[in-house]
mmCIF file of all heavy atoms in Angstrom:
data_model
loop_
_atom_site.group_PDB
_atom_site.id
_atom_site.type_symbol
_atom_site.label_atom_id
_atom_site.label_comp_id
_atom_site.label_asym_id
_atom_site.label_seq_id
_atom_site.Cartn_x
_atom_site.Cartn_y
_atom_site.Cartn_z
ATOM 1 N N ASN A 1 22.599 89.206 -43.837
ATOM 2 C CA ASN A 1 22.363 89.056 -45.276
ATOM 3 C C ASN A 1 23.386 89.775 -46.146
ATOM 4 O O ASN A 1 23.119 90.061 -47.308
ATOM 5 C CB ASN A 1 20.951 89.523 -45.656
ATOM 6 C CG ASN A 1 19.883 88.780 -44.894
ATOM 7 O OD1 ASN A 1 20.013 87.585 -44.608
ATOM 8 N ND2 ASN A 1 18.814 89.479 -44.553
ATOM 9 N N THR A 2 24.550 90.089 -45.582
ATOM 10 C CA THR A 2 25.567 90.781 -46.367
ATOM 11 C C THR A 2 26.791 89.903 -46.585
ATOM 12 O O THR A 2 26.969 88.869 -45.943
ATOM 13 C CB THR A 2 26.014 92.086 -45.675
ATOM 14 O OG1 THR A 2 26.661 91.768 -44.438
ATOM 15 C CG2 THR A 2 24.826 93.002 -45.396
ATOM 16 N N ASP A 3 27.634 90.337 -47.503
ATOM 17 C CA ASP A 3 28.858 89.622 -47.862
ATOM 18 C C ASP A 3 29.728 89.449 -46.610
ATOM 19 O O ASP A 3 30.122 90.429 -45.967
ATOM 20 C CB ASP A 3 29.598 90.430 -48.928
ATOM 21 C CG ASP A 3 30.837 89.719 -49.447
ATOM 22 O OD1 ASP A 3 31.259 88.709 -48.847
ATOM 23 O OD2 ASP A 3 31.391 90.183 -50.471
ATOM 24 N N PRO A 4 30.073 88.190 -46.248
ATOM 25 C CA PRO A 4 30.893 87.947 -45.049
ATOM 26 C C PRO A 4 32.258 88.630 -45.103
ATOM 27 O O PRO A 4 32.856 88.894 -44.050
ATOM 28 C CB PRO A 4 31.047 86.428 -45.029
ATOM 29 C CG PRO A 4 29.898 85.915 -45.831
ATOM 30 C CD PRO A 4 29.647 86.942 -46.883
ATOM 31 N N ALA A 5 32.736 88.931 -46.298
ATOM 32 C CA ALA A 5 34.037 89.583 -46.402
ATOM 33 C C ALA A 5 34.005 90.982 -45.801
ATOM 34 O O ALA A 5 35.031 91.505 -45.354
ATOM 35 C CB ALA A 5 34.470 89.667 -47.865
ATOM 36 N N LEU A 6 32.822 91.589 -45.743
ATOM 37 C CA LEU A 6 32.684 92.924 -45.160
ATOM 38 C C LEU A 6 32.268 92.797 -43.698
ATOM 39 O O LEU A 6 31.198 93.242 -43.292
ATOM 40 C CB LEU A 6 31.649 93.740 -45.951
ATOM 41 C CG LEU A 6 32.042 94.092 -47.392
ATOM 42 C CD1 LEU A 6 30.863 94.719 -48.123
ATOM 43 C CD2 LEU A 6 33.244 95.029 -47.413
ATOM 44 N N PHE A 7 33.123 92.194 -42.889
ATOM 45 C CA PHE A 7 32.797 91.994 -41.476
ATOM 46 C C PHE A 7 32.940 93.316 -40.721
ATOM 47 O O PHE A 7 33.720 94.197 -41.086
ATOM 48 C CB PHE A 7 33.702 90.923 -40.867
ATOM 49 C CG PHE A 7 35.166 91.256 -40.910
ATOM 50 C CD1 PHE A 7 35.750 92.002 -39.886
ATOM 51 C CD2 PHE A 7 35.960 90.834 -41.963
ATOM 52 C CE1 PHE A 7 37.090 92.317 -39.907
ATOM 53 C CE2 PHE A 7 37.310 91.152 -41.994
ATOM 54 C CZ PHE A 7 37.869 91.893 -40.979
ATOM 55 N N ALA A 8 32.188 93.433 -39.647
ATOM 56 C CA ALA A 8 32.153 94.674 -38.872
ATOM 57 C C ALA A 8 32.961 94.556 -37.594
ATOM 58 O O ALA A 8 33.173 93.458 -37.070
ATOM 59 C CB ALA A 8 30.715 95.033 -38.539
ATOM 60 N N ASP A 9 33.391 95.709 -37.088
ATOM 61 C CA ASP A 9 33.926 95.820 -35.735
ATOM 62 C C ASP A 9 32.843 96.416 -34.852
ATOM 63 O O ASP A 9 31.954 97.132 -35.337
ATOM 64 C CB ASP A 9 35.172 96.718 -35.715
ATOM 65 C CG ASP A 9 36.381 96.022 -36.332
ATOM 66 O OD1 ASP A 9 36.358 94.784 -36.451
ATOM 67 O OD2 ASP A 9 37.327 96.738 -36.703
ATOM 68 N N PHE A 10 32.903 96.135 -33.578
ATOM 69 C CA PHE A 10 31.863 96.578 -32.651
ATOM 70 C C PHE A 10 31.615 98.086 -32.774
ATOM 71 O O PHE A 10 32.543 98.893 -32.764
ATOM 72 C CB PHE A 10 32.268 96.255 -31.206
ATOM 73 C CG PHE A 10 31.272 96.719 -30.183
ATOM 74 C CD1 PHE A 10 30.101 96.005 -29.961
ATOM 75 C CD2 PHE A 10 31.482 97.892 -29.468
ATOM 76 C CE1 PHE A 10 29.171 96.434 -29.023
ATOM 77 C CE2 PHE A 10 30.567 98.324 -28.521
ATOM 78 C CZ PHE A 10 29.397 97.598 -28.309
ATOM 79 N N GLY A 11 30.328 98.446 -32.897
ATOM 80 C CA GLY A 11 29.920 99.853 -32.936
ATOM 81 C C GLY A 11 30.008 100.503 -34.291
ATOM 82 O O GLY A 11 29.584 101.657 -34.448
ATOM 83 N N GLU A 12 30.528 99.817 -35.298
ATOM 84 C CA GLU A 12 30.671 100.428 -36.625
ATOM 85 C C GLU A 12 29.334 100.496 -37.361
ATOM 86 O O GLU A 12 28.485 99.610 -37.234
ATOM 87 C CB GLU A 12 31.655 99.627 -37.486
ATOM 88 C CG GLU A 12 33.113 99.861 -37.177
ATOM 89 C CD GLU A 12 34.014 99.162 -38.180
ATOM 90 O OE1 GLU A 12 33.681 98.035 -38.606
ATOM 91 O OE2 GLU A 12 35.062 99.730 -38.507
ATOM 92 N N THR A 13 29.190 101.531 -38.132
ATOM 93 C CA THR A 13 28.078 101.613 -39.071
ATOM 94 C C THR A 13 28.498 100.920 -40.363
ATOM 95 O O THR A 13 29.682 100.596 -40.555
ATOM 96 C CB THR A 13 27.731 103.074 -39.384
ATOM 97 O OG1 THR A 13 28.847 103.680 -40.062
ATOM 98 C CG2 THR A 13 27.423 103.854 -38.111
ATOM 99 N N MET A 14 27.535 100.716 -41.254
ATOM 100 C CA MET A 14 27.876 100.098 -42.538
ATOM 101 C C MET A 14 28.830 100.985 -43.335
ATOM 102 O O MET A 14 29.723 100.492 -44.029
ATOM 103 C CB MET A 14 26.609 99.800 -43.335
ATOM 104 C CG MET A 14 25.719 98.739 -42.699
ATOM 105 S SD MET A 14 24.220 98.385 -43.659
ATOM 106 C CE MET A 14 24.884 97.316 -44.922
ATOM 107 N N ALA A 15 28.654 102.307 -43.231
ATOM 108 C CA ALA A 15 29.552 103.222 -43.939
ATOM 109 C C ALA A 15 30.974 103.089 -43.415
ATOM 110 O O ALA A 15 31.946 103.107 -44.192
ATOM 111 C CB ALA A 15 29.055 104.652 -43.779
ATOM 112 N N GLN A 16 31.125 102.944 -42.117
ATOM 113 C CA GLN A 16 32.464 102.795 -41.534
ATOM 114 C C GLN A 16 33.102 101.475 -41.947
ATOM 115 O O GLN A 16 34.305 101.417 -42.221
ATOM 116 C CB GLN A 16 32.373 102.902 -40.010
ATOM 117 C CG GLN A 16 32.060 104.315 -39.527
ATOM 118 C CD GLN A 16 31.750 104.379 -38.044
ATOM 119 O OE1 GLN A 16 31.153 103.449 -37.486
ATOM 120 N NE2 GLN A 16 32.145 105.462 -37.399
ATOM 121 N N VAL A 17 32.294 100.438 -42.006
ATOM 122 C CA VAL A 17 32.809 99.140 -42.452
ATOM 123 C C VAL A 17 33.293 99.235 -43.897
ATOM 124 O O VAL A 17 34.400 98.792 -44.236
ATOM 125 C CB VAL A 17 31.726 98.049 -42.314
ATOM 126 C CG1 VAL A 17 32.191 96.748 -42.969
ATOM 127 C CG2 VAL A 17 31.396 97.810 -40.858
ATOM 128 N N ARG A 18 32.468 99.824 -44.746
ATOM 129 C CA ARG A 18 32.840 99.947 -46.157
ATOM 130 C C ARG A 18 34.119 100.772 -46.308
ATOM 131 O O ARG A 18 35.006 100.436 -47.092
ATOM 132 C CB ARG A 18 31.688 100.625 -46.916
ATOM 133 C CG ARG A 18 31.992 100.856 -48.405
ATOM 134 C CD ARG A 18 31.786 99.598 -49.204
ATOM 135 N NE ARG A 18 32.276 99.745 -50.561
ATOM 136 C CZ ARG A 18 31.626 100.361 -51.550
ATOM 137 N NH1 ARG A 18 30.421 100.889 -51.318
ATOM 138 N NH2 ARG A 18 32.131 100.436 -52.765
ATOM 139 N N SER A 19 34.217 101.842 -45.549
ATOM 140 C CA SER A 19 35.400 102.694 -45.630
ATOM 141 C C SER A 19 36.651 101.945 -45.185
ATOM 142 O O SER A 19 37.695 101.990 -45.850
ATOM 143 C CB SER A 19 35.193 103.936 -44.764
ATOM 144 O OG SER A 19 36.361 104.712 -44.712
ATOM 145 N N ARG A 20 36.557 101.226 -44.082
ATOM 146 C CA ARG A 20 37.728 100.497 -43.555
ATOM 147 C C ARG A 20 38.201 99.435 -44.537
ATOM 148 O O ARG A 20 39.415 99.320 -44.791
ATOM 149 C CB ARG A 20 37.371 99.876 -42.197
ATOM 150 C CG ARG A 20 38.467 98.995 -41.609
ATOM 151 C CD ARG A 20 38.176 98.641 -40.165
ATOM 152 N NE ARG A 20 36.863 98.033 -39.979
ATOM 153 C CZ ARG A 20 36.595 96.735 -40.200
ATOM 154 N NH1 ARG A 20 37.564 95.934 -40.639
ATOM 155 N NH2 ARG A 20 35.383 96.256 -39.983
ATOM 156 N N HIS A 21 37.278 98.680 -45.079
ATOM 157 C CA HIS A 21 37.673 97.626 -46.016
ATOM 158 C C HIS A 21 38.210 98.225 -47.314
ATOM 159 O O HIS A 21 39.138 97.677 -47.913
ATOM 160 C CB HIS A 21 36.484 96.709 -46.302
ATOM 161 C CG HIS A 21 36.204 95.729 -45.205
ATOM 162 N ND1 HIS A 21 36.791 94.482 -45.154
ATOM 163 C CD2 HIS A 21 35.407 95.814 -44.110
ATOM 164 C CE1 HIS A 21 36.357 93.832 -44.064
ATOM 165 N NE2 HIS A 21 35.515 94.627 -43.413
ATOM 166 N N SER A 22 37.622 99.343 -47.737
ATOM 167 C CA SER A 22 38.084 99.972 -48.962
ATOM 168 C C SER A 22 39.520 100.457 -48.825
ATOM 169 O O SER A 22 40.309 100.396 -49.784
ATOM 170 C CB SER A 22 37.175 101.154 -49.320
ATOM 171 O OG SER A 22 37.691 101.874 -50.413
ATOM 172 N N CYS A 23 39.882 100.910 -47.641
ATOM 173 C CA CYS A 23 41.221 101.451 -47.434
ATOM 174 C C CYS A 23 42.298 100.382 -47.314
ATOM 175 O O CYS A 23 43.482 100.702 -47.151
ATOM 176 C CB CYS A 23 41.232 102.376 -46.219
ATOM 177 S SG CYS A 23 40.513 103.997 -46.580
ATOM 178 N N ILE A 24 41.906 99.125 -47.378
ATOM 179 C CA ILE A 24 42.907 98.052 -47.466
ATOM 180 C C ILE A 24 43.622 98.164 -48.806
ATOM 181 O O ILE A 24 44.789 97.784 -48.939
ATOM 182 C CB ILE A 24 42.241 96.671 -47.321
ATOM 183 C CG1 ILE A 24 41.646 96.520 -45.908
ATOM 184 C CG2 ILE A 24 43.230 95.549 -47.604
ATOM 185 C CD1 ILE A 24 40.845 95.262 -45.717
ATOM 186 N N THR A 25 42.917 98.713 -49.799
ATOM 187 C CA THR A 25 43.516 98.873 -51.132
ATOM 188 C C THR A 25 43.711 100.347 -51.475
ATOM 189 O O THR A 25 44.817 100.871 -51.388
ATOM 190 C CB THR A 25 42.636 98.190 -52.193
ATOM 191 O OG1 THR A 25 41.276 98.690 -52.069
ATOM 192 C CG2 THR A 25 42.642 96.688 -52.013
ATOM 193 N N ASP A 26 42.632 101.054 -51.826
ATOM 194 C CA ASP A 26 42.813 102.419 -52.350
ATOM 195 C C ASP A 26 41.894 103.471 -51.724
ATOM 196 O O ASP A 26 41.893 104.623 -52.159
ATOM 197 C CB ASP A 26 42.598 102.426 -53.857
ATOM 198 C CG ASP A 26 41.215 101.899 -54.252
ATOM 199 O OD1 ASP A 26 40.418 101.574 -53.343
ATOM 200 O OD2 ASP A 26 40.940 101.814 -55.457
ATOM 201 N N CYS A 27 41.091 103.095 -50.744
ATOM 202 C CA CYS A 27 40.158 104.036 -50.085
ATOM 203 C C CYS A 27 39.141 104.639 -51.058
ATOM 204 O O CYS A 27 38.624 105.735 -50.828
ATOM 205 C CB CYS A 27 40.910 105.169 -49.387
ATOM 206 S SG CYS A 27 41.812 104.663 -47.902
#
């Protein structure tokens, strides 16, 4: 039920996913 753009890697928490995607731009 979440935005597909925020895809996960195996074993990641939601916080880790958000952090990784955020660091594509400005962290």
Side-chain angles (χ1 to χ4, degrees):
N1 303 324
T2 65
D3 185 349
L6 293 172
F7 61 87
D9 287 342
F10 178 78
E12 282 187 322
T13 65
M14 294 181 79
Q16 289 171 325
V17 171
R18 178 80 190 279
S19 174
R20 175 169 54 82
H21 283 271
S22 173
C23 283
I24 295 174
T25 53
D26 58 2
C27 289

